[in-house]
Amino acid sequence: NRYLETRKYYSSCFEKIIDEVKEGEKGYFKGLDTKIVTFGILGMCNWVVKWFKASGPYSIEEIADIFYKMITAG
């Protein structure tokens, strides 16, 4: 199934990025399971389309900033 292959591909790309970030000097995600971190980040991003409203109190940029702060807070 093409959908599942694409999903696995993107998941593996995120896992590689997260592993690289874990090795960085800031220590983000240190001690955390890469696959679970990947699922968490992708889950946050994927669900935005379900609840985001352009007329809502936050812009997409503000939400992205909140997500960034959530996942890099340590």
Side-chain angles (χ1 to χ4, degrees):
N1 181 322
R2 188 172 183 180
Y3 168 75
L4 291 177
E5 290 174 13
T6 303
R7 190 173 79 175
K8 286 180 185 179
Y9 169 75
Y10 282 111
S11 181
S12 71
C13 290
F14 267 81
E15 287 180 29
K16 288 177 187 174
I17 292 167
I18 289 165
D19 280 338
E20 288 179 19
V21 169
K22 285 170 73 171
E23 293 173 6
E25 61 186 52
K26 294 202 179 205
Y28 295 135
F29 312 127
K30 187 174 184 160
L32 301 177
D33 182 89
T34 299
K35 193 170 282 287
I36 300 300
V37 173
T38 298
F39 290 155
I41 292 171
L42 290 176
M44 286 184 348
C45 294
N46 288 332
W47 275 93
V48 169
V49 299
K50 296 282 188 185
W51 55 262
F52 175 74
K53 301 270 188 271
S55 62
Y58 297 101
S59 69
I60 197 67
E61 291 83 8
E62 290 169 314
I63 292 170
D65 186 55
I66 291 169
F67 279 8
Y68 173 78
K69 288 176 182 172
M70 286 172 52
I71 63 174
T72 61

